[in-house]
Amino acid sequence: MTGHAPSNLQFPHHLVASLIEEALAEDLGLAGDITTNAIIEANHISEAVLALREDGCIAGLPLAEAAFRAIDPGISFEAELRDGESAHAGSAIARVSGSTRAILSAERVALNLVQHLSGVATATRHFVEAVHGTHARIVCTRKTTPGLRAFEKYAVRAGGGHNHRFGLFDAVLIKDNHIAAAGSVSAAIERARTANGHMVKIEVEVDTLTQLEEALQHDVDAVLLDNMAVPELKNAVARAKAAKPGILCEASGGVRLVTVRAIAETGVDMISVGALTHSVKALDIGLDF
């Protein structure tokens, strides 16, 4: 796994305070940390390390820092790595020092967030490395945890992937159910183009070559080739590029690490992987005094 952070990685700082406030309120409730407050003197000071228990790509350190400092602004938090960098098991990714009570009370919220986002970044990095040398980009989907979308999409970028549309508001993606409700591919595209201005991109999902040919007769910017076998996918990409040289071709549906290379080699521009966010395994990170 490569260790370099992507350039121009922008963290959604404007959303941090509300997330941390909600997460800490959920954990502390009305009574606070009754275990720590009973055992640890108020003036007790400690130093601790956030350490990797397994190899991985890091994301979410600003959230961990915010969690500790929300309990005590005097906490010192020093990151040893940047988000987007990879490290081996045993590596220290950050050091925290100050009030022992604050460290212990914020520990779980800090770790939950950085473990989850680092899991997203690590999974993404594996997919990105699997398609290295091809034309294809690895992109995420809207299959995200409610309330965490901005951070999960950030973690995908930290892992070297790219973001698909952020929500329902920033691009048109005509899916199979839209087509079924509209009656045909053509009807759905025509209605979407009529309702939206020329600045709005339109992508349409197709799962057969017949649907693809119908979509290519209209003003679309991208086609999502859903659940196609590799030979059919290669054929679909060739047809789409021949008909509309500037069109973007996206592959989607059940993409796995063992299959993504073959998919990339069909010539698709993008491969969307819902598993990057909807079923990712958290990276094992601990806090050690």
Side-chain angles (χ1 to χ4, degrees):
M1 183 178 291
T2 57
H4 300 296
S7 60
N8 301 318
L9 185 61
Q10 298 295 318
F11 189 79
H13 290 284
H14 62 293
L15 299 174
V16 170
S18 59
L19 173 62
I20 295 301
E21 180 181 4
E22 183 178 351
L24 288 173
E26 179 181 59
D27 212 19
L28 295 172
L30 297 177
D33 184 351
I34 61 175
T35 305
T36 295
N37 293 344
I39 296 171
I40 307 299
E41 296 291 338
N43 62 353
H44 195 279
I45 301 297
S46 294
E47 296 181 356
V49 173
L50 273 70
L52 284 176
R53 304 283 196 249
E54 59 181 324
D55 297 354
C57 179
I58 305 305
L61 286 175
L63 285 176
E65 179 178 4
F68 289 114
R69 289 188 170 162
I71 300 291
D72 183 351
I75 286 284
S76 172
F77 186 94
E78 298 180 4
E80 297 289 333
L81 296 173
R82 292 183 301 155
D83 279 359
E85 291 186 314
S86 297
H88 295 295
S91 299
I93 64 172
R95 301 181 187 277
V96 58
S97 59
S99 165
T100 305
R101 283 187 174 185
I103 294 173
L104 289 171
S105 295
E107 174 186 358
R108 180 43 52 200
V109 166
L111 287 178
N112 283 350
L113 291 169
V114 76
Q115 284 182 308
H116 174 62
L117 296 184
S118 295
V120 172
T122 299
T124 303
R125 183 64 54 85
H126 287 313
F127 274 91
V128 169
E129 291 179 345
V131 302
H132 179 71
T134 71
H135 173 71
R137 287 182 169 188
I138 299 297
V139 301
C140 55
T141 71
R142 287 172 43 248
K143 296 175 182 177
T144 54
T145 307
L148 290 182
R149 178 172 296 174
F151 298 102
E152 291 178 341
K153 283 183 171 286
Y154 163 83
V156 168
R157 299 194 303 275
H162 295 80
N163 295 154
H164 206 283
R165 61 177 180 163
F166 200 86
L168 294 172
F169 55 86
D170 56 350
V172 172
L173 176 50
I174 300 170
K175 303 279 286 181
D176 55 351
N177 285 337
H178 295 114
I179 293 168
S184 69
V185 170
S186 294
I189 296 172
E190 289 169 1
R191 292 175 191 175
R193 181 55 75 194
T194 299
N196 293 280
H198 67 284
M199 296 296 288
V200 176
K201 300 288 187 181
I202 292 181
E203 181 174 15
V204 59
E205 175 184 291
V206 299
D207 53 23
T208 67
L209 294 177
T210 300
Q211 284 188 323
L212 173 64
E213 294 294 344
E214 184 178 356
L216 293 173
Q217 302 305 310
H218 300 275
D219 182 16
V220 296
D221 302 284
V223 287
L224 191 159
L225 308 168
D226 190 48
N227 280 299
M228 290 187 177
V230 168
E232 185 181 21
L233 185 59
K234 186 174 183 179
N235 187 1
V237 172
R239 291 191 187 193
K241 297 292 186 180
K244 293 180 179 291
I247 199 169
L248 293 175
C249 294
E250 175 184 350
S252 180
V255 179
R256 295 178 294 134
L257 196 58
V258 295
T259 62
V260 71
R261 180 77 190 189
I263 293 170
E265 289 175 345
T266 64
V268 294
D269 301 289
M270 300 169 291
I271 304 173
S272 54
V273 186
L276 298 180
T277 52
H278 72 57
S279 59
V280 72
K281 174 186 173 294
L283 191 65
D284 193 357
I285 300 170
L287 185 140
D288 302 322
F289 274 71

